[in-house]
Amino acid sequence: MIDQDAPERPSGPRVGRLTLDANGLFALAIFLPLLFIVQLATLGAAFVAALTPIYLFVRRRGLVRALLPRAFLLIVPAFAMLSVLWSEAPRETFRFAAQLGLTALAGLLLSSAPRQETVVRGMTLAFLTYVAVAVVAGGKVGIGVGAGGEALAGLTESKNLLGDIASTGLLISMAAVMMAIRSRSWIWVTIGGLAMALDLYAVVAARSAGALLGLGMGVAAMCALTPLTKVGPLLRGWLTGAVALCLLAGGLGYRTLVTGMINLGADLFDKDPTLTGRTYLWYRAADLIREKPLLGRGYYAFWRQGNTDAEGLWRYFGIESRGGFTFHNTLIDILVTLGWLGVVVIAVVVLIAMGAMLRRFVERPDLSLVFWISILLYQMARTPIETIGIAPFYFSTVLTFGALGAAFGRVRQVTVARQRPVVRRPVLQLRAWEVDRKGPGRRDADSAAGRSIWRPSQPTP
């Protein structure tokens, strides 16, 4: 049964004063390898692939109730799998589409967990761990075309990746603090506050325009929507409708938004107006889209070794690993791989989920829904300059599907009480025996007296 307002009661084994929750542990366990996926490589992917079925088994009792209302979101990985039929590289398409399915499934399970507070706490610890290690590592990369300078990149050579992780972690930590204040868990207020401070430092030091702009939208959404959970449904409905219209206008002005983000990034960070060559990528992608506009080249069939076009772009951008690259634009990536048909299918799925999310917020809002909406808006703000929601075994894909799945509530936690065996014990009935004048006789006096009185039989004098 779906219940948005299920009480956040501790469940599971306890270690000291801490309660271990399976959903929180899964959030921590799956995000750690996703965040360190560059360092762990195939080992991290294998761990995620093995962990998701285990979590499915743990959630088996309420699995149908959790997945049934949000199953249509799996149309996205299903369509990616369908592209095997026309893919230029069917084996790669099949493998990556299966991985996308597992990634989406993990997000849907997290958003349907009974105790969303523990899920947010698990993610907070995972992002805090990564950002702390990245800041200690202190890797830096050059930036800018004018005054120049350096930006914090942490464990990789990508400052944008660190900025994305730190911005996402800040939103998650902010939600954890708000939930902890509500439940008066001052330990988690402290942990979340520490994580927020570290994430903010990493975001600023990474000097990532896209991460900062997305973070601004996410924080604004969380601050604006939280008070609305306490007002009446009528006012909340009007204000939510106004926000929806603004988002619709932003979608219609997609090209203008991209241009504005490029100019703002160049002004704020003295960056290359092409955003480190993204405009050339998009120019080349336009030619690729014109060649196969309807169905594309197949999911993940372009960025593969041996493909002449991909090899040329890797050489142009100096990608020695010849992998792990995208067109840095969600719409363009979908058009190249799945064509306009894929864009339509994914857009319909996302719009249905967003409509359900707005309706649920108007009718039954809570802090967990505010958190997921903020995460979704953060991801949407970055779609013009990054590839969001379609990359397998990537933390932002898990969060995107989790946010879309949050529109359908969470499954109430059902506690099955153990029944003690009924022990049938023999009942000793004492009956009253009386003696009549004719000799030793007896008659049952229970029904007459309404009680059991024992009187021994005696001989007649």
Side-chain angles (χ1 to χ4, degrees):
M1 179 178 180
I2 303 298
D3 179 26
Q4 290 89 345
D5 297 327
E8 303 263 346
R9 297 177 181 175
S11 61
R14 295 181 65 86
V15 177
R17 298 181 62 182
L18 297 177
T19 301
L20 300 181
D21 182 85
N23 304 290
L25 290 175
F26 174 73
L28 173 62
I30 198 170
F31 274 100
L32 278 177
L34 288 175
L35 294 172
F36 287 94
I37 196 71
V38 176
Q39 290 73 35
L40 297 176
T42 55
L43 181 62
F47 187 81
V48 174
L51 187 61
T52 303
I54 294 175
Y55 186 49
L56 282 170
F57 178 77
V58 173
R59 293 280 303 275
R60 64 190 182 280
R61 291 184 180 274
L63 191 59
V64 175
R65 291 173 294 161
L67 294 182
L68 190 59
R70 44 179 61 82
F72 79 97
L73 293 170
L74 296 176
I75 291 176
V76 175
F79 187 82
M81 181 65 74
L82 183 64
S83 68
V84 170
L85 300 177
W86 63 83
S87 174
E88 296 177 351
R91 291 184 179 180
E92 284 79 3
T93 296
F94 179 85
R95 177 163 61 92
F96 285 108
Q99 293 175 2
L100 178 63
L102 286 175
T103 308
L105 192 58
L108 299 183
L109 289 173
L110 286 176
S111 66
S112 67
R115 298 190 65 224
Q116 288 293 293
E117 187 173 3
T118 60
V119 171
V120 173
R121 289 175 178 178
M123 290 190 290
T124 299
L125 291 178
F127 279 82
L128 174 59
T129 301
Y130 180 88
V131 174
V133 174
V135 170
V136 172
K140 296 183 178 181
V141 294
I143 182 176
V145 294
E150 290 184 329
L152 181 66
L155 299 174
T156 66
E157 296 182 357
S158 174
K159 65 179 184 59
N160 291 326
L161 176 59
L162 177 61
D164 181 19
I165 293 176
S167 298
T168 306
L170 198 152
L171 288 174
I172 295 172
S173 303
M174 186 176 176
V177 170
M178 295 171 64
M179 293 178 179
I181 293 175
R182 181 190 61 180
S183 61
R184 298 182 180 181
S185 179
W186 309 121
I187 295 178
W188 280 102
V189 171
T190 304
I191 295 175
L194 176 63
M196 288 177 62
L198 192 61
D199 290 331
L200 183 60
Y201 167 77
V203 171
V204 175
R207 301 176 66 184
S208 174
L212 275 176
L213 293 173
L215 178 62
M217 179 173 288
V219 171
M222 193 172 295
C223 293
L225 295 178
T226 299
L228 294 184
T229 60
K230 302 299 182 182
V231 303
L234 183 60
L235 177 59
R236 187 165 54 244
W238 279 102
L239 295 176
T240 304
V243 173
L245 289 177
C246 292
L247 293 176
L248 180 60
L252 295 176
Y254 185 81
R255 291 182 177 272
T256 305
L257 179 62
V258 173
T259 304
M261 291 184 69
I262 292 176
N263 294 333
L264 183 59
D267 294 338
L268 287 177
F269 300 103
D270 192 28
K271 297 183 65 173
D272 181 356
T274 67
L275 286 183
T276 322
R278 282 182 173 87
T279 53
Y280 176 73
L281 265 177
W282 301 337
Y283 170 77
R284 288 290 296 117
D287 295 333
L288 299 172
I289 294 170
R290 281 192 289 268
E291 292 176 5
K292 294 186 176 182
L294 182 60
L295 298 176
R297 298 169 180 267
Y299 181 71
Y300 262 75
F302 179 80
W303 295 110
R304 56 186 174 85
Q305 296 182 5
N307 182 14
T308 305
D309 293 323
E311 295 282 0
L313 290 173
W314 283 329
R315 187 177 300 109
Y316 177 85
F317 287 98
I319 308 298
E320 297 180 358
S321 62
R322 300 163 64 205
F325 202 56
T326 68
F327 284 101
H328 291 281
N329 182 292
T330 304
L331 176 61
I332 291 176
D333 251 306
I334 296 174
L335 285 173
V336 171
T337 57
L338 298 175
W340 281 106
L341 183 59
V343 170
V344 171
V345 169
I346 295 175
V348 170
V349 170
V350 172
L351 287 176
I352 291 175
M354 291 181 63
M357 178 176 288
L358 292 177
R359 178 179 178 181
R360 184 194 162 199
F361 180 76
V362 172
E363 295 178 350
R364 304 184 70 180
D366 56 23
L367 287 180
S368 64
L369 184 58
V370 170
F371 160 71
W372 286 116
I373 292 176
S374 302
I375 286 291
L376 184 60
L377 291 178
Y378 167 76
Q379 302 293 356
M380 290 179 59
R382 299 178 61 253
T383 55
I385 56 175
E386 296 293 346
T387 300
I388 303 297
I390 58 173
F393 291 161
Y394 195 56
F395 71 93
S396 66
T397 306
V398 176
L399 290 171
T400 300
F401 277 92
L404 295 174
F408 306 95
R410 58 182 186 265
V411 179
R412 177 184 298 169
Q413 187 169 358
V414 180
T415 303
V416 181
R418 293 182 61 186
Q419 296 182 353
R420 297 182 178 180
V422 179
V423 180
R424 297 185 177 276
R425 299 178 179 177
V427 179
L428 178 62
Q429 296 182 349
L430 301 179
R431 296 186 175 185
W433 301 96
E434 294 184 352
V435 181
D436 59 17
R437 295 181 179 180
K438 297 182 180 180
R442 59 193 178 188
R443 70 183 179 87
D444 191 351
D446 290 1
S447 58
R451 61 183 181 274
S452 296
I453 302 175
W454 182 77
R455 296 176 182 174
S457 298
Q458 299 179 354
T460 304

